[in-house]
Structure formats: structure tokens, C-alpha cells
Amino acid sequence: SPYTLSLHDALPIYPHKFHVSINIPEFVKKYAELVKEPGDKNEDVVSVAGRIHNIRQAGAKLRFYDLWSAGQRCQIMAQAE
């Protein structure tokens, strides 16, 4: 069928128009080793892409986002200033 894609087709499932420097599985693997304790920080600047599956609010200015891509989750904490 002309509508069937194989695993060898390199088409992105959710295309985007911005630069991604690391995918989420690589991000989790790399930074799980570098940032082990809650509150640990790293000064690297990276860009990732994925789908937001969950948004939680903690107080007036703190948000948590669950970003999923390639079967892996990355939790993002964002604080309004």
C-alpha cells in the first residue's frame, strides 16, 4: 500500500521546525549520571523535542511538564519569575 511506512523510512512522527541537540533517551542516559540528587544542577544548554503528556501545577509559579519521545519521559520543571 502507498500509505504504509516501514521502519526504514526516516520520516519524523511529529515534525518540528527547530534544532534539537539531543533526543530524550540520550538526554536521560547522559544526565542521570551527572545529576544524581534532587536540586543538583548542570550548566549545559540543550534543546529537546517531544510531546507534553502531563502538566502539573505546584503553587502559583511552579509547573512540571512530562515530555515524551521515543518511549522515554523527561520531567521539566519551570518556574515563572
PDB file of all heavy atoms in Angstrom, residues 1-3 8-9 13-14 16 20-22 32-33 36 43 45-47 51 58 61 63 67-68 71 73 78:
ATOM      1  N   SER A   1       0.841  -1.186   0.000  1.00  0.00           N
ATOM      2  CA  SER A   1       0.000   0.000   0.000  1.00  0.00           C
ATOM      3  C   SER A   1       0.880   1.241   0.000  1.00  0.00           C
ATOM      4  O   SER A   1       1.910   1.285   0.681  1.00  0.00           O
ATOM      5  CB  SER A   1      -0.892  -0.037   1.240  1.00  0.00           C
ATOM      6  OG  SER A   1      -1.411   1.243   1.503  1.00  0.00           O
ATOM      7  N   PRO A   2       0.518   2.283  -0.730  1.00  0.00           N
ATOM      8  CA  PRO A   2       1.339   3.503  -0.752  1.00  0.00           C
ATOM      9  C   PRO A   2       1.315   4.254   0.579  1.00  0.00           C
ATOM     10  O   PRO A   2       2.103   5.171   0.784  1.00  0.00           O
ATOM     11  CB  PRO A   2       0.708   4.334  -1.860  1.00  0.00           C
ATOM     12  CG  PRO A   2      -0.693   3.841  -1.977  1.00  0.00           C
ATOM     13  CD  PRO A   2      -0.647   2.375  -1.596  1.00  0.00           C
ATOM     14  N   TYR A   3       0.429   3.894   1.505  1.00  0.00           N
ATOM     15  CA  TYR A   3       0.320   4.592   2.788  1.00  0.00           C
ATOM     16  C   TYR A   3       1.029   3.872   3.919  1.00  0.00           C
ATOM     17  O   TYR A   3       0.958   4.281   5.058  1.00  0.00           O
ATOM     18  CB  TYR A   3      -1.153   4.792   3.150  1.00  0.00           C
ATOM     19  CG  TYR A   3      -1.893   5.569   2.090  1.00  0.00           C
ATOM     20  CD1 TYR A   3      -2.763   4.931   1.226  1.00  0.00           C
ATOM     21  CD2 TYR A   3      -1.673   6.925   1.928  1.00  0.00           C
ATOM     22  CE1 TYR A   3      -3.418   5.638   0.237  1.00  0.00           C
ATOM     23  CE2 TYR A   3      -2.320   7.641   0.940  1.00  0.00           C
ATOM     24  CZ  TYR A   3      -3.198   6.991   0.095  1.00  0.00           C
ATOM     25  OH  TYR A   3      -3.834   7.685  -0.877  1.00  0.00           O
ATOM     26  N   HIS A   8      12.335   1.504   8.098  1.00  0.00           N
ATOM     27  CA  HIS A   8      13.492   2.081   7.422  1.00  0.00           C
ATOM     28  C   HIS A   8      13.207   3.474   6.872  1.00  0.00           C
ATOM     29  O   HIS A   8      14.123   4.174   6.479  1.00  0.00           O
ATOM     30  CB  HIS A   8      13.962   1.145   6.307  1.00  0.00           C
ATOM     31  CG  HIS A   8      14.355  -0.203   6.826  1.00  0.00           C
ATOM     32  ND1 HIS A   8      15.495  -0.407   7.562  1.00  0.00           N
ATOM     33  CD2 HIS A   8      13.740  -1.395   6.741  1.00  0.00           C
ATOM     34  CE1 HIS A   8      15.571  -1.670   7.904  1.00  0.00           C
ATOM     35  NE2 HIS A   8      14.519  -2.293   7.418  1.00  0.00           N
ATOM     36  N   ASP A   9      11.950   3.875   6.827  1.00  0.00           N
ATOM     37  CA  ASP A   9      11.620   5.226   6.385  1.00  0.00           C
ATOM     38  C   ASP A   9      12.012   6.195   7.495  1.00  0.00           C
ATOM     39  O   ASP A   9      11.625   6.027   8.634  1.00  0.00           O
ATOM     40  CB  ASP A   9      10.128   5.361   6.079  1.00  0.00           C
ATOM     41  CG  ASP A   9       9.717   4.508   4.899  1.00  0.00           C
ATOM     42  OD1 ASP A   9      10.533   4.351   3.973  1.00  0.00           O
ATOM     43  OD2 ASP A   9       8.582   4.000   4.902  1.00  0.00           O
ATOM     44  N   ILE A  13       7.876  11.317  13.212  1.00  0.00           N
ATOM     45  CA  ILE A  13       6.471  11.123  13.541  1.00  0.00           C
ATOM     46  C   ILE A  13       5.800  12.457  13.814  1.00  0.00           C
ATOM     47  O   ILE A  13       4.705  12.726  13.348  1.00  0.00           O
ATOM     48  CB  ILE A  13       6.338  10.194  14.763  1.00  0.00           C
ATOM     49  CG1 ILE A  13       6.897   8.819  14.419  1.00  0.00           C
ATOM     50  CG2 ILE A  13       4.887  10.078  15.199  1.00  0.00           C
ATOM     51  CD1 ILE A  13       6.970   7.887  15.593  1.00  0.00           C
ATOM     52  N   TYR A  14       6.464  13.312  14.572  1.00  0.00           N
ATOM     53  CA  TYR A  14       5.932  14.635  14.887  1.00  0.00           C
ATOM     54  C   TYR A  14       6.971  15.666  14.441  1.00  0.00           C
ATOM     55  O   TYR A  14       7.842  16.042  15.216  1.00  0.00           O
ATOM     56  CB  TYR A  14       5.646  14.774  16.384  1.00  0.00           C
ATOM     57  CG  TYR A  14       4.728  13.712  16.894  1.00  0.00           C
ATOM     58  CD1 TYR A  14       5.184  12.661  17.664  1.00  0.00           C
ATOM     59  CD2 TYR A  14       3.380  13.749  16.571  1.00  0.00           C
ATOM     60  CE1 TYR A  14       4.325  11.675  18.112  1.00  0.00           C
ATOM     61  CE2 TYR A  14       2.515  12.764  17.010  1.00  0.00           C
ATOM     62  CZ  TYR A  14       2.999  11.743  17.777  1.00  0.00           C
ATOM     63  OH  TYR A  14       2.151  10.774  18.207  1.00  0.00           O
ATOM     64  N   HIS A  16       9.008  19.055  13.521  1.00  0.00           N
ATOM     65  CA  HIS A  16       9.112  20.366  14.146  1.00  0.00           C
ATOM     66  C   HIS A  16      10.102  21.193  13.346  1.00  0.00           C
ATOM     67  O   HIS A  16      10.825  20.663  12.505  1.00  0.00           O
ATOM     68  CB  HIS A  16       9.545  20.254  15.607  1.00  0.00           C
ATOM     69  CG  HIS A  16      10.706  19.333  15.798  1.00  0.00           C
ATOM     70  ND1 HIS A  16      11.984  19.721  15.535  1.00  0.00           N
ATOM     71  CD2 HIS A  16      10.766  18.041  16.187  1.00  0.00           C
ATOM     72  CE1 HIS A  16      12.801  18.705  15.769  1.00  0.00           C
ATOM     73  NE2 HIS A  16      12.092  17.679  16.156  1.00  0.00           N
ATOM     74  N   VAL A  20      17.146  20.395  17.398  1.00  0.00           N
ATOM     75  CA  VAL A  20      17.182  19.516  18.565  1.00  0.00           C
ATOM     76  C   VAL A  20      18.618  19.029  18.707  1.00  0.00           C
ATOM     77  O   VAL A  20      19.166  18.409  17.804  1.00  0.00           O
ATOM     78  CB  VAL A  20      16.224  18.321  18.392  1.00  0.00           C
ATOM     79  CG1 VAL A  20      16.353  17.352  19.547  1.00  0.00           C
ATOM     80  CG2 VAL A  20      14.791  18.806  18.259  1.00  0.00           C
ATOM     81  N   SER A  21      19.228  19.322  19.859  1.00  0.00           N
ATOM     82  CA  SER A  21      20.634  18.957  20.041  1.00  0.00           C
ATOM     83  C   SER A  21      20.816  17.557  20.620  1.00  0.00           C
ATOM     84  O   SER A  21      21.892  16.971  20.479  1.00  0.00           O
ATOM     85  CB  SER A  21      21.332  19.984  20.940  1.00  0.00           C
ATOM     86  OG  SER A  21      20.751  20.001  22.227  1.00  0.00           O
ATOM     87  N   ILE A  22      19.780  17.007  21.264  1.00  0.00           N
ATOM     88  CA  ILE A  22      19.874  15.676  21.864  1.00  0.00           C
ATOM     89  C   ILE A  22      18.458  15.110  21.979  1.00  0.00           C
ATOM     90  O   ILE A  22      17.524  15.847  22.272  1.00  0.00           O
ATOM     91  CB  ILE A  22      20.581  15.740  23.250  1.00  0.00           C
ATOM     92  CG1 ILE A  22      20.900  14.357  23.800  1.00  0.00           C
ATOM     93  CG2 ILE A  22      19.788  16.564  24.240  1.00  0.00           C
ATOM     94  CD1 ILE A  22      21.818  14.395  25.023  1.00  0.00           C
ATOM     95  N   ALA A  32      21.363  11.407  33.816  1.00  0.00           N
ATOM     96  CA  ALA A  32      21.116  10.579  35.005  1.00  0.00           C
ATOM     97  C   ALA A  32      22.430  10.328  35.736  1.00  0.00           C
ATOM     98  O   ALA A  32      22.456  10.213  36.965  1.00  0.00           O
ATOM     99  CB  ALA A  32      20.459   9.259  34.613  1.00  0.00           C
ATOM    100  N   GLU A  33      23.519  10.273  34.991  1.00  0.00           N
ATOM    101  CA  GLU A  33      24.839  10.081  35.598  1.00  0.00           C
ATOM    102  C   GLU A  33      25.390  11.376  36.205  1.00  0.00           C
ATOM    103  O   GLU A  33      26.080  11.344  37.213  1.00  0.00           O
ATOM    104  CB  GLU A  33      25.826   9.570  34.539  1.00  0.00           C
ATOM    105  CG  GLU A  33      25.471   8.213  33.976  1.00  0.00           C
ATOM    106  CD  GLU A  33      25.583   7.115  35.010  1.00  0.00           C
ATOM    107  OE1 GLU A  33      26.520   7.158  35.836  1.00  0.00           O
ATOM    108  OE2 GLU A  33      24.712   6.230  35.001  1.00  0.00           O
ATOM    109  N   LYS A  36      22.586  13.476  40.054  1.00  0.00           N
ATOM    110  CA  LYS A  36      22.084  12.312  40.792  1.00  0.00           C
ATOM    111  C   LYS A  36      21.127  12.655  41.917  1.00  0.00           C
ATOM    112  O   LYS A  36      20.252  11.885  42.241  1.00  0.00           O
ATOM    113  CB  LYS A  36      23.259  11.498  41.331  1.00  0.00           C
ATOM    114  CG  LYS A  36      24.076  10.869  40.223  1.00  0.00           C
ATOM    115  CD  LYS A  36      25.148   9.978  40.747  1.00  0.00           C
ATOM    116  CE  LYS A  36      25.896   9.370  39.570  1.00  0.00           C
ATOM    117  NZ  LYS A  36      26.789   8.335  39.956  1.00  0.00           N
ATOM    118  N   GLU A  43      25.197  23.122  34.016  1.00  0.00           N
ATOM    119  CA  GLU A  43      25.138  24.359  33.226  1.00  0.00           C
ATOM    120  C   GLU A  43      25.025  24.119  31.718  1.00  0.00           C
ATOM    121  O   GLU A  43      25.008  25.075  30.951  1.00  0.00           O
ATOM    122  CB  GLU A  43      26.360  25.226  33.526  1.00  0.00           C
ATOM    123  CG  GLU A  43      26.448  25.667  34.981  1.00  0.00           C
ATOM    124  CD  GLU A  43      25.244  26.485  35.436  1.00  0.00           C
ATOM    125  OE1 GLU A  43      24.724  27.302  34.655  1.00  0.00           O
ATOM    126  OE2 GLU A  43      24.812  26.297  36.586  1.00  0.00           O
ATOM    127  N   VAL A  45      23.525  23.634  28.070  1.00  0.00           N
ATOM    128  CA  VAL A  45      22.331  24.127  27.394  1.00  0.00           C
ATOM    129  C   VAL A  45      22.035  23.157  26.254  1.00  0.00           C
ATOM    130  O   VAL A  45      22.879  22.941  25.382  1.00  0.00           O
ATOM    131  CB  VAL A  45      22.546  25.552  26.836  1.00  0.00           C
ATOM    132  CG1 VAL A  45      21.331  26.004  26.043  1.00  0.00           C
ATOM    133  CG2 VAL A  45      22.842  26.516  27.981  1.00  0.00           C
ATOM    134  N   VAL A  46      20.853  22.536  26.297  1.00  0.00           N
ATOM    135  CA  VAL A  46      20.448  21.581  25.265  1.00  0.00           C
ATOM    136  C   VAL A  46      19.039  21.918  24.806  1.00  0.00           C
ATOM    137  O   VAL A  46      18.306  22.635  25.486  1.00  0.00           O
ATOM    138  CB  VAL A  46      20.491  20.117  25.777  1.00  0.00           C
ATOM    139  CG1 VAL A  46      21.902  19.715  26.162  1.00  0.00           C
ATOM    140  CG2 VAL A  46      19.548  19.909  26.941  1.00  0.00           C
ATOM    141  N   SER A  47      18.666  21.391  23.647  1.00  0.00           N
ATOM    142  CA  SER A  47      17.277  21.520  23.191  1.00  0.00           C
ATOM    143  C   SER A  47      16.767  20.130  22.846  1.00  0.00           C
ATOM    144  O   SER A  47      17.450  19.350  22.189  1.00  0.00           O
ATOM    145  CB  SER A  47      17.179  22.462  21.993  1.00  0.00           C
ATOM    146  OG  SER A  47      17.957  21.997  20.918  1.00  0.00           O
ATOM    147  N   ARG A  51       6.432  15.257  23.008  1.00  0.00           N
ATOM    148  CA  ARG A  51       5.028  15.609  23.234  1.00  0.00           C
ATOM    149  C   ARG A  51       4.789  15.757  24.727  1.00  0.00           C
ATOM    150  O   ARG A  51       5.204  14.918  25.524  1.00  0.00           O
ATOM    151  CB  ARG A  51       4.120  14.508  22.695  1.00  0.00           C
ATOM    152  CG  ARG A  51       4.248  14.376  21.188  1.00  0.00           C
ATOM    153  CD  ARG A  51       3.223  13.459  20.656  1.00  0.00           C
ATOM    154  NE  ARG A  51       1.993  14.237  20.502  1.00  0.00           N
ATOM    155  CZ  ARG A  51       0.825  13.723  20.231  1.00  0.00           C
ATOM    156  NH1 ARG A  51       0.683  12.436  20.097  1.00  0.00           N
ATOM    157  NH2 ARG A  51      -0.226  14.491  20.088  1.00  0.00           N
ATOM    158  N   ALA A  58       2.317  23.436  40.950  1.00  0.00           N
ATOM    159  CA  ALA A  58       2.650  23.416  42.371  1.00  0.00           C
ATOM    160  C   ALA A  58       2.797  24.867  42.808  1.00  0.00           C
ATOM    161  O   ALA A  58       3.822  25.488  42.576  1.00  0.00           O
ATOM    162  CB  ALA A  58       3.926  22.627  42.623  1.00  0.00           C
ATOM    163  N   LYS A  61       3.554  29.691  40.803  1.00  0.00           N
ATOM    164  CA  LYS A  61       4.565  29.930  39.777  1.00  0.00           C
ATOM    165  C   LYS A  61       5.338  28.704  39.325  1.00  0.00           C
ATOM    166  O   LYS A  61       6.187  28.803  38.444  1.00  0.00           O
ATOM    167  CB  LYS A  61       5.566  30.969  40.282  1.00  0.00           C
ATOM    168  CG  LYS A  61       4.948  32.322  40.512  1.00  0.00           C
ATOM    169  CD  LYS A  61       6.002  33.319  40.885  1.00  0.00           C
ATOM    170  CE  LYS A  61       5.387  34.691  41.037  1.00  0.00           C
ATOM    171  NZ  LYS A  61       6.404  35.706  41.293  1.00  0.00           N
ATOM    172  N   ARG A  63       5.620  24.904  37.628  1.00  0.00           N
ATOM    173  CA  ARG A  63       4.946  23.944  36.750  1.00  0.00           C
ATOM    174  C   ARG A  63       5.873  22.769  36.480  1.00  0.00           C
ATOM    175  O   ARG A  63       7.094  22.934  36.373  1.00  0.00           O
ATOM    176  CB  ARG A  63       4.579  24.560  35.394  1.00  0.00           C
ATOM    177  CG  ARG A  63       3.733  25.796  35.450  1.00  0.00           C
ATOM    178  CD  ARG A  63       2.291  25.478  35.806  1.00  0.00           C
ATOM    179  NE  ARG A  63       1.454  26.655  35.742  1.00  0.00           N
ATOM    180  CZ  ARG A  63       1.325  27.546  36.701  1.00  0.00           C
ATOM    181  NH1 ARG A  63       2.021  27.426  37.810  1.00  0.00           N
ATOM    182  NH2 ARG A  63       0.518  28.571  36.571  1.00  0.00           N
ATOM    183  N   LEU A  67       7.480  15.372  29.315  1.00  0.00           N
ATOM    184  CA  LEU A  67       7.773  15.406  27.887  1.00  0.00           C
ATOM    185  C   LEU A  67       8.183  14.001  27.458  1.00  0.00           C
ATOM    186  O   LEU A  67       9.084  13.403  28.049  1.00  0.00           O
ATOM    187  CB  LEU A  67       8.911  16.393  27.630  1.00  0.00           C
ATOM    188  CG  LEU A  67       9.270  16.697  26.199  1.00  0.00           C
ATOM    189  CD1 LEU A  67       8.123  17.453  25.518  1.00  0.00           C
ATOM    190  CD2 LEU A  67      10.546  17.511  26.132  1.00  0.00           C
ATOM    191  N   TRP A  68       7.505  13.448  26.453  1.00  0.00           N
ATOM    192  CA  TRP A  68       7.750  12.080  25.982  1.00  0.00           C
ATOM    193  C   TRP A  68       8.260  12.091  24.554  1.00  0.00           C
ATOM    194  O   TRP A  68       7.768  12.840  23.707  1.00  0.00           O
ATOM    195  CB  TRP A  68       6.466  11.264  26.020  1.00  0.00           C
ATOM    196  CG  TRP A  68       6.069  10.820  27.383  1.00  0.00           C
ATOM    197  CD1 TRP A  68       5.377  11.551  28.307  1.00  0.00           C
ATOM    198  CD2 TRP A  68       6.331   9.563  27.990  1.00  0.00           C
ATOM    199  NE1 TRP A  68       5.190  10.813  29.438  1.00  0.00           N
ATOM    200  CE2 TRP A  68       5.764   9.583  29.278  1.00  0.00           C
ATOM    201  CE3 TRP A  68       6.986   8.417  27.562  1.00  0.00           C
ATOM    202  CZ2 TRP A  68       5.835   8.498  30.136  1.00  0.00           C
ATOM    203  CZ3 TRP A  68       7.051   7.334  28.423  1.00  0.00           C
ATOM    204  CH2 TRP A  68       6.492   7.379  29.696  1.00  0.00           C
ATOM    205  N   GLY A  71       9.507   6.716  23.484  1.00  0.00           N
ATOM    206  CA  GLY A  71       9.191   5.831  24.604  1.00  0.00           C
ATOM    207  C   GLY A  71       9.833   6.209  25.921  1.00  0.00           C
ATOM    208  O   GLY A  71       9.799   5.444  26.877  1.00  0.00           O
ATOM    209  N   ARG A  73      10.435   9.299  29.047  1.00  0.00           N
ATOM    210  CA  ARG A  73       9.867  10.504  29.646  1.00  0.00           C
ATOM    211  C   ARG A  73      10.973  11.359  30.249  1.00  0.00           C
ATOM    212  O   ARG A  73      11.919  10.872  30.848  1.00  0.00           O
ATOM    213  CB  ARG A  73       8.887  10.134  30.749  1.00  0.00           C
ATOM    214  CG  ARG A  73       8.318  11.349  31.489  1.00  0.00           C
ATOM    215  CD  ARG A  73       7.389  10.945  32.606  1.00  0.00           C
ATOM    216  NE  ARG A  73       8.100  10.373  33.713  1.00  0.00           N
ATOM    217  CZ  ARG A  73       8.374  11.002  34.858  1.00  0.00           C
ATOM    218  NH1 ARG A  73       7.966  12.240  35.033  1.00  0.00           N
ATOM    219  NH2 ARG A  73       9.022  10.418  35.812  1.00  0.00           N
ATOM    220  N   ALA A  78       9.499  24.136  35.485  1.00  0.00           N
ATOM    221  CA  ALA A  78       9.560  25.522  35.019  1.00  0.00           C
ATOM    222  C   ALA A  78       9.033  26.431  36.109  1.00  0.00           C
ATOM    223  O   ALA A  78       7.964  26.167  36.691  1.00  0.00           O
ATOM    224  CB  ALA A  78       8.760  25.689  33.741  1.00  0.00           C
TER     225      ALA A  78
END
